[in-house]
Amino acid sequence: MSGKYHEYPEYKNTENEYIGSTPKLWGFGSLKRVVDQNRQITYGIVQAGQNVPDGVPYIRPADMRDEGGVKNLTGLLRTSLSIASSYERSELKSGDLVCSIGPSFGKVMVTPDVLSGANLTQGTARVAISKKFHTRYYFWVLRSSLAYQQWESSVGGATFRALNLGPLADTYIPIPPHKNQVSIAGFLDHETAKIDTLIDKQQQLIQLLKEKRQTVISHAVTKGLDPNVPMKDSGVEWLGAVPEHWSLKKFGHISNVVRGGSPRPAGDPTLFNGDYSPWVTVAEITKDNDMFLEETETFLTKKGSDQCRVFQKGTLVLSNSGATLGVPKILNIDANANDGVVGFESLDSSVNIELAYLYLTTLTENLRESIKQGSGQPNLNTDIVKNIVFPGPPPCEQDQIVTEIKDAVARYKSLTNKAHGLTSLLKERRTALISAAVTGKIDVRHWQPSEPQARMEATA
C-alpha cells in the first residue's frame, strides 16, 4: 500500500495461505465463531410460492447490489405468512448481514430497519454477527478478496457456481480486538466512498465521451464539415437540412439490398457447426463497436453454405431483427449471413463505404423507433432498408469527412481508454485497501478523516 499508511509494530504468522500474517494481538478463526450462536448461518425459503402483495418480503441475489443493499425495496417479491412462518430460522433482524450464495455469490449487505422481519431465498444466506463483535467490520471482511478467494476455491470447477453454507461458515477470517474492528470499518466506509466517487466521475466521463463521439459523427455525416455551406431541406424527418450540393438517394437505388438466409432444417449438424464458411449472425454484428467484422465464432459446413447466399468481403451489412437491430458492419471476410442480417451488395462506386457505415450508425435508434408499432419480434424488412435515404456528398468530400471522423474518433477513443484505465486502477486500489485493512497489513487505529471531509460529514 501507499507510504501514507503504517504497519502494526508486531505481527504473527497465522500459517493460513489466505490471511498470512496478522498483528500480534489479533485472533483468527472461522466465520461461524463470530456469529450469534442462537442464530446460525442459514439460507432461506426454497419454494416461496406465488407473489403475495401484502405478504412477507424476501431477498434474492438479483435484488442485491454488490455492497449497496437492496436495489428496490418496493420491488421485492413477497411470500405468504404461512410459508414465511415455516422458515422462521432464516428471518432477518436489523443489522444482520445477508450474503448471496447463488451463482452470483459474494454480494453482501447489512439489513436495514425497514427489512427487519423479512426473509431470504435459498440463494441468499443470513450471517447474524454476535453483539460481541462489530458487524460493519465483518461486512468488509466478507467483501474482501480474502473471503472471495476462499469461496472461489470451494466452488472450484463446478458447473453451478453456488457457495454452500459449509464453506461460508468455515471462511477463515481475522478477529481483531473490538476497537480495531470499529476503526477499520470507519476507515473503509470513508475511504471506499471516496474511491467510489472517483470511479463514478470516470464512468460519467466515459458516457460523455461516447455521446460527444456520436454527436461528432452525426453532424459530420448529415451536415458536412463546412459550417457556412448553404443548406436545403432533405424532406426526411430524422435527417433535417443537408448541404445544398449533396444528393439524396435511397439505399435501394445505390445498392442491391439483400436479406441473408439460414440453411434448412435449422440445427441440422450436417449444415451448421462446420469449419467451411464463416457464419454471420446478429450477435456477431452487435458484439462490439468496431467498423469491420474480421472473423466469426461459428462456421457452416460446405453443404450449409451452398444453401444460402455468400456475402463477399467488403460488403456493408446491417442487423435487421431483434432488440439490437439497426447495427451496421463492413465484412472483412467472405461469409454467409442468417436472415437477421441484410447486405448492401454492389454499392455504388460513388459512395464511400465507410461513410455509409458511419451514417447508418447514427440511424440505429431511428430505425428501432420506426418498427415499434405492432407486436412480436422487431424486424426491419428489406423495403424499410431500401427506403433509407443516404445524403451523398461528392466523392472527394466523402473522403474528407471520413478522415475527419476517424481522427476525432481516435481522440475520443484515447481519452476513453485512459478513463477505463484509471477506473481499473481505482478498482484495484479499492480491493487492495479493503484486504490490507481487514487483515491488519495497515494500521488505521489512529486514522481520522481529513478536515474538509470531516466537516462535510458532520453537517450532512
Side-chain angles (χ1 to χ4, degrees), residues 219-220 222-232 241-246 393-394 397 401:
H219 189 274
T222 60
K223 311 301 178 189
L225 304 176
D226 183 356
N228 300 313
V229 69
M231 307 291 283
K232 67 181 178 184
V242 298
E244 195 174 64
H245 64 288
W246 287 16
E397 189 176 347
I401 291 172

PDB file of all heavy atoms in Angstrom, residues 219-220 222-232 241-246 393-394 397 401:
ATOM      1  N   HIS A 219     -23.148  14.826 -36.887  1.00  0.00           N
ATOM      2  CA  HIS A 219     -23.102  16.140 -37.522  1.00  0.00           C
ATOM      3  C   HIS A 219     -22.323  16.083 -38.840  1.00  0.00           C
ATOM      4  O   HIS A 219     -22.740  16.660 -39.850  1.00  0.00           O
ATOM      5  CB  HIS A 219     -22.470  17.165 -36.585  1.00  0.00           C
ATOM      6  CG  HIS A 219     -22.577  18.562 -37.082  1.00  0.00           C
ATOM      7  ND1 HIS A 219     -21.644  19.113 -37.957  1.00  0.00           N
ATOM      8  CD2 HIS A 219     -23.495  19.536 -36.862  1.00  0.00           C
ATOM      9  CE1 HIS A 219     -21.982  20.355 -38.234  1.00  0.00           C
ATOM     10  NE2 HIS A 219     -23.103  20.642 -37.582  1.00  0.00           N
ATOM     11  N   ALA A 220     -21.195  15.367 -38.803  1.00  0.00           N
ATOM     12  CA  ALA A 220     -20.349  15.321 -39.998  1.00  0.00           C
ATOM     13  C   ALA A 220     -21.041  14.608 -41.161  1.00  0.00           C
ATOM     14  O   ALA A 220     -20.945  15.049 -42.306  1.00  0.00           O
ATOM     15  CB  ALA A 220     -19.018  14.642 -39.675  1.00  0.00           C
ATOM     16  N   THR A 222     -24.253  14.258 -41.725  1.00  0.00           N
ATOM     17  CA  THR A 222     -25.524  14.847 -42.167  1.00  0.00           C
ATOM     18  C   THR A 222     -25.416  16.329 -42.506  1.00  0.00           C
ATOM     19  O   THR A 222     -26.250  16.855 -43.245  1.00  0.00           O
ATOM     20  CB  THR A 222     -26.617  14.676 -41.088  1.00  0.00           C
ATOM     21  OG1 THR A 222     -26.198  15.322 -39.872  1.00  0.00           O
ATOM     22  CG2 THR A 222     -26.875  13.204 -40.808  1.00  0.00           C
ATOM     23  N   LYS A 223     -24.379  17.022 -41.978  1.00  0.00           N
ATOM     24  CA  LYS A 223     -24.232  18.462 -42.219  1.00  0.00           C
ATOM     25  C   LYS A 223     -22.924  18.816 -42.912  1.00  0.00           C
ATOM     26  O   LYS A 223     -22.760  19.945 -43.393  1.00  0.00           O
ATOM     27  CB  LYS A 223     -24.296  19.246 -40.893  1.00  0.00           C
ATOM     28  CG  LYS A 223     -25.466  18.878 -39.981  1.00  0.00           C
ATOM     29  CD  LYS A 223     -26.824  19.091 -40.648  1.00  0.00           C
ATOM     30  CE  LYS A 223     -27.967  18.656 -39.727  1.00  0.00           C
ATOM     31  NZ  LYS A 223     -29.283  18.644 -40.422  1.00  0.00           N
ATOM     32  N   GLY A 224     -21.980  17.871 -42.942  1.00  0.00           N
ATOM     33  CA  GLY A 224     -20.699  18.153 -43.567  1.00  0.00           C
ATOM     34  C   GLY A 224     -19.740  18.859 -42.640  1.00  0.00           C
ATOM     35  O   GLY A 224     -19.984  19.008 -41.441  1.00  0.00           O
ATOM     36  N   LEU A 225     -18.629  19.336 -43.195  1.00  0.00           N
ATOM     37  CA  LEU A 225     -17.569  19.950 -42.408  1.00  0.00           C
ATOM     38  C   LEU A 225     -17.566  21.470 -42.489  1.00  0.00           C
ATOM     39  O   LEU A 225     -16.954  22.139 -41.649  1.00  0.00           O
ATOM     40  CB  LEU A 225     -16.198  19.422 -42.883  1.00  0.00           C
ATOM     41  CG  LEU A 225     -16.029  17.887 -42.860  1.00  0.00           C
ATOM     42  CD1 LEU A 225     -14.660  17.514 -43.451  1.00  0.00           C
ATOM     43  CD2 LEU A 225     -16.166  17.340 -41.448  1.00  0.00           C
ATOM     44  N   ASP A 226     -18.240  22.035 -43.459  1.00  0.00           N
ATOM     45  CA  ASP A 226     -18.253  23.486 -43.662  1.00  0.00           C
ATOM     46  C   ASP A 226     -19.492  24.090 -42.995  1.00  0.00           C
ATOM     47  O   ASP A 226     -20.619  23.870 -43.454  1.00  0.00           O
ATOM     48  CB  ASP A 226     -18.259  23.802 -45.156  1.00  0.00           C
ATOM     49  CG  ASP A 226     -18.187  25.300 -45.435  1.00  0.00           C
ATOM     50  OD1 ASP A 226     -18.207  26.094 -44.460  1.00  0.00           O
ATOM     51  OD2 ASP A 226     -18.130  25.666 -46.626  1.00  0.00           O
ATOM     52  N   PRO A 227     -19.332  24.846 -41.907  1.00  0.00           N
ATOM     53  CA  PRO A 227     -20.496  25.405 -41.203  1.00  0.00           C
ATOM     54  C   PRO A 227     -21.213  26.497 -41.987  1.00  0.00           C
ATOM     55  O   PRO A 227     -22.332  26.871 -41.648  1.00  0.00           O
ATOM     56  CB  PRO A 227     -19.891  25.960 -39.910  1.00  0.00           C
ATOM     57  CG  PRO A 227     -18.468  26.272 -40.265  1.00  0.00           C
ATOM     58  CD  PRO A 227     -18.053  25.216 -41.252  1.00  0.00           C
ATOM     59  N   ASN A 228     -20.564  27.025 -43.042  1.00  0.00           N
ATOM     60  CA  ASN A 228     -21.141  28.142 -43.796  1.00  0.00           C
ATOM     61  C   ASN A 228     -21.786  27.724 -45.112  1.00  0.00           C
ATOM     62  O   ASN A 228     -22.248  28.575 -45.883  1.00  0.00           O
ATOM     63  CB  ASN A 228     -20.056  29.193 -44.082  1.00  0.00           C
ATOM     64  CG  ASN A 228     -19.450  29.739 -42.798  1.00  0.00           C
ATOM     65  OD1 ASN A 228     -20.171  30.090 -41.861  1.00  0.00           O
ATOM     66  ND2 ASN A 228     -18.117  29.793 -42.750  1.00  0.00           N
ATOM     67  N   VAL A 229     -21.823  26.422 -45.380  1.00  0.00           N
ATOM     68  CA  VAL A 229     -22.361  25.956 -46.654  1.00  0.00           C
ATOM     69  C   VAL A 229     -23.884  26.160 -46.682  1.00  0.00           C
ATOM     70  O   VAL A 229     -24.564  25.985 -45.666  1.00  0.00           O
ATOM     71  CB  VAL A 229     -22.011  24.468 -46.859  1.00  0.00           C
ATOM     72  CG1 VAL A 229     -22.761  23.581 -45.875  1.00  0.00           C
ATOM     73  CG2 VAL A 229     -22.288  24.030 -48.295  1.00  0.00           C
ATOM     74  N   PRO A 230     -24.459  26.563 -47.833  1.00  0.00           N
ATOM     75  CA  PRO A 230     -25.922  26.682 -47.946  1.00  0.00           C
ATOM     76  C   PRO A 230     -26.596  25.325 -47.719  1.00  0.00           C
ATOM     77  O   PRO A 230     -26.066  24.286 -48.116  1.00  0.00           O
ATOM     78  CB  PRO A 230     -26.130  27.175 -49.380  1.00  0.00           C
ATOM     79  CG  PRO A 230     -24.831  27.796 -49.767  1.00  0.00           C
ATOM     80  CD  PRO A 230     -23.770  27.014 -49.063  1.00  0.00           C
ATOM     81  N   MET A 231     -27.773  25.341 -47.073  1.00  0.00           N
ATOM     82  CA  MET A 231     -28.469  24.103 -46.730  1.00  0.00           C
ATOM     83  C   MET A 231     -29.806  24.018 -47.467  1.00  0.00           C
ATOM     84  O   MET A 231     -30.341  25.021 -47.954  1.00  0.00           O
ATOM     85  CB  MET A 231     -28.721  24.038 -45.217  1.00  0.00           C
ATOM     86  CG  MET A 231     -27.477  24.242 -44.353  1.00  0.00           C
ATOM     87  SD  MET A 231     -26.296  22.868 -44.460  1.00  0.00           S
ATOM     88  CE  MET A 231     -27.093  21.662 -43.417  1.00  0.00           C
ATOM     89  N   LYS A 232     -30.334  22.795 -47.525  1.00  0.00           N
ATOM     90  CA  LYS A 232     -31.656  22.561 -48.101  1.00  0.00           C
ATOM     91  C   LYS A 232     -32.383  21.526 -47.240  1.00  0.00           C
ATOM     92  O   LYS A 232     -31.751  20.735 -46.531  1.00  0.00           O
ATOM     93  CB  LYS A 232     -31.536  22.070 -49.539  1.00  0.00           C
ATOM     94  CG  LYS A 232     -30.897  20.679 -49.669  1.00  0.00           C
ATOM     95  CD  LYS A 232     -30.766  20.244 -51.121  1.00  0.00           C
ATOM     96  CE  LYS A 232     -30.090  18.880 -51.226  1.00  0.00           C
ATOM     97  NZ  LYS A 232     -29.864  18.464 -52.626  1.00  0.00           N
ATOM     98  N   ALA A 241     -32.112  19.293 -42.416  1.00  0.00           N
ATOM     99  CA  ALA A 241     -31.450  20.012 -43.518  1.00  0.00           C
ATOM    100  C   ALA A 241     -30.084  19.407 -43.800  1.00  0.00           C
ATOM    101  O   ALA A 241     -29.370  18.980 -42.884  1.00  0.00           O
ATOM    102  CB  ALA A 241     -31.308  21.488 -43.172  1.00  0.00           C
ATOM    103  N   VAL A 242     -29.719  19.386 -45.096  1.00  0.00           N
ATOM    104  CA  VAL A 242     -28.404  18.890 -45.516  1.00  0.00           C
ATOM    105  C   VAL A 242     -27.793  19.931 -46.451  1.00  0.00           C
ATOM    106  O   VAL A 242     -28.489  20.803 -46.974  1.00  0.00           O
ATOM    107  CB  VAL A 242     -28.531  17.536 -46.249  1.00  0.00           C
ATOM    108  CG1 VAL A 242     -29.109  16.476 -45.335  1.00  0.00           C
ATOM    109  CG2 VAL A 242     -29.359  17.667 -47.523  1.00  0.00           C
ATOM    110  N   PRO A 243     -26.483  19.886 -46.675  1.00  0.00           N
ATOM    111  CA  PRO A 243     -25.858  20.831 -47.610  1.00  0.00           C
ATOM    112  C   PRO A 243     -26.543  20.800 -48.971  1.00  0.00           C
ATOM    113  O   PRO A 243     -26.927  19.730 -49.479  1.00  0.00           O
ATOM    114  CB  PRO A 243     -24.416  20.334 -47.681  1.00  0.00           C
ATOM    115  CG  PRO A 243     -24.166  19.739 -46.323  1.00  0.00           C
ATOM    116  CD  PRO A 243     -25.461  19.064 -45.974  1.00  0.00           C
ATOM    117  N   GLU A 244     -26.691  21.952 -49.545  1.00  0.00           N
ATOM    118  CA  GLU A 244     -27.454  22.128 -50.785  1.00  0.00           C
ATOM    119  C   GLU A 244     -26.899  21.317 -51.947  1.00  0.00           C
ATOM    120  O   GLU A 244     -27.646  20.832 -52.809  1.00  0.00           O
ATOM    121  CB  GLU A 244     -27.472  23.621 -51.144  1.00  0.00           C
ATOM    122  CG  GLU A 244     -28.493  24.003 -52.184  1.00  0.00           C
ATOM    123  CD  GLU A 244     -28.544  25.510 -52.369  1.00  0.00           C
ATOM    124  OE1 GLU A 244     -27.513  26.083 -52.808  1.00  0.00           O
ATOM    125  OE2 GLU A 244     -29.580  26.101 -52.050  1.00  0.00           O
ATOM    126  N   HIS A 245     -25.576  21.140 -51.982  1.00  0.00           N
ATOM    127  CA  HIS A 245     -24.969  20.460 -53.122  1.00  0.00           C
ATOM    128  C   HIS A 245     -24.926  18.934 -52.960  1.00  0.00           C
ATOM    129  O   HIS A 245     -24.416  18.240 -53.839  1.00  0.00           O
ATOM    130  CB  HIS A 245     -23.548  20.992 -53.366  1.00  0.00           C
ATOM    131  CG  HIS A 245     -22.592  20.718 -52.227  1.00  0.00           C
ATOM    132  ND1 HIS A 245     -22.651  21.369 -51.024  1.00  0.00           N
ATOM    133  CD2 HIS A 245     -21.552  19.848 -52.145  1.00  0.00           C
ATOM    134  CE1 HIS A 245     -21.681  20.920 -50.227  1.00  0.00           C
ATOM    135  NE2 HIS A 245     -21.001  20.003 -50.898  1.00  0.00           N
ATOM    136  N   TRP A 246     -25.444  18.416 -51.835  1.00  0.00           N
ATOM    137  CA  TRP A 246     -25.451  16.969 -51.633  1.00  0.00           C
ATOM    138  C   TRP A 246     -26.637  16.341 -52.375  1.00  0.00           C
ATOM    139  O   TRP A 246     -27.702  16.947 -52.517  1.00  0.00           O
ATOM    140  CB  TRP A 246     -25.572  16.628 -50.149  1.00  0.00           C
ATOM    141  CG  TRP A 246     -24.309  16.884 -49.347  1.00  0.00           C
ATOM    142  CD1 TRP A 246     -23.247  17.636 -49.724  1.00  0.00           C
ATOM    143  CD2 TRP A 246     -24.036  16.383 -48.048  1.00  0.00           C
ATOM    144  NE1 TRP A 246     -22.306  17.656 -48.730  1.00  0.00           N
ATOM    145  CE2 TRP A 246     -22.766  16.885 -47.677  1.00  0.00           C
ATOM    146  CE3 TRP A 246     -24.714  15.592 -47.135  1.00  0.00           C
ATOM    147  CZ2 TRP A 246     -22.174  16.606 -46.442  1.00  0.00           C
ATOM    148  CZ3 TRP A 246     -24.128  15.295 -45.908  1.00  0.00           C
ATOM    149  CH2 TRP A 246     -22.871  15.796 -45.578  1.00  0.00           C
ATOM    150  N   PRO A 393     -22.537  13.368 -50.225  1.00  0.00           N
ATOM    151  CA  PRO A 393     -21.652  14.438 -50.682  1.00  0.00           C
ATOM    152  C   PRO A 393     -20.893  13.980 -51.931  1.00  0.00           C
ATOM    153  O   PRO A 393     -20.860  12.780 -52.245  1.00  0.00           O
ATOM    154  CB  PRO A 393     -20.682  14.624 -49.512  1.00  0.00           C
ATOM    155  CG  PRO A 393     -21.252  13.836 -48.376  1.00  0.00           C
ATOM    156  CD  PRO A 393     -22.064  12.752 -48.985  1.00  0.00           C
ATOM    157  N   PRO A 394     -20.251  14.901 -52.665  1.00  0.00           N
ATOM    158  CA  PRO A 394     -19.363  14.493 -53.759  1.00  0.00           C
ATOM    159  C   PRO A 394     -18.278  13.560 -53.208  1.00  0.00           C
ATOM    160  O   PRO A 394     -17.903  13.662 -52.036  1.00  0.00           O
ATOM    161  CB  PRO A 394     -18.759  15.816 -54.237  1.00  0.00           C
ATOM    162  CG  PRO A 394     -19.750  16.854 -53.826  1.00  0.00           C
ATOM    163  CD  PRO A 394     -20.336  16.367 -52.547  1.00  0.00           C
ATOM    164  N   GLU A 397     -15.396  14.910 -51.083  1.00  0.00           N
ATOM    165  CA  GLU A 397     -15.860  15.403 -49.784  1.00  0.00           C
ATOM    166  C   GLU A 397     -16.163  14.234 -48.845  1.00  0.00           C
ATOM    167  O   GLU A 397     -15.943  14.325 -47.636  1.00  0.00           O
ATOM    168  CB  GLU A 397     -17.094  16.280 -49.963  1.00  0.00           C
ATOM    169  CG  GLU A 397     -17.506  17.017 -48.684  1.00  0.00           C
ATOM    170  CD  GLU A 397     -18.670  17.962 -48.913  1.00  0.00           C
ATOM    171  OE1 GLU A 397     -19.017  18.258 -50.082  1.00  0.00           O
ATOM    172  OE2 GLU A 397     -19.267  18.397 -47.893  1.00  0.00           O
ATOM    173  N   ILE A 401     -14.644  13.784 -45.076  1.00  0.00           N
ATOM    174  CA  ILE A 401     -15.498  13.578 -43.900  1.00  0.00           C
ATOM    175  C   ILE A 401     -15.064  12.329 -43.134  1.00  0.00           C
ATOM    176  O   ILE A 401     -14.945  12.342 -41.902  1.00  0.00           O
ATOM    177  CB  ILE A 401     -16.982  13.469 -44.322  1.00  0.00           C
ATOM    178  CG1 ILE A 401     -17.484  14.820 -44.824  1.00  0.00           C
ATOM    179  CG2 ILE A 401     -17.843  12.985 -43.157  1.00  0.00           C
ATOM    180  CD1 ILE A 401     -18.877  14.769 -45.449  1.00  0.00           C
TER     181      ILE A 401
END
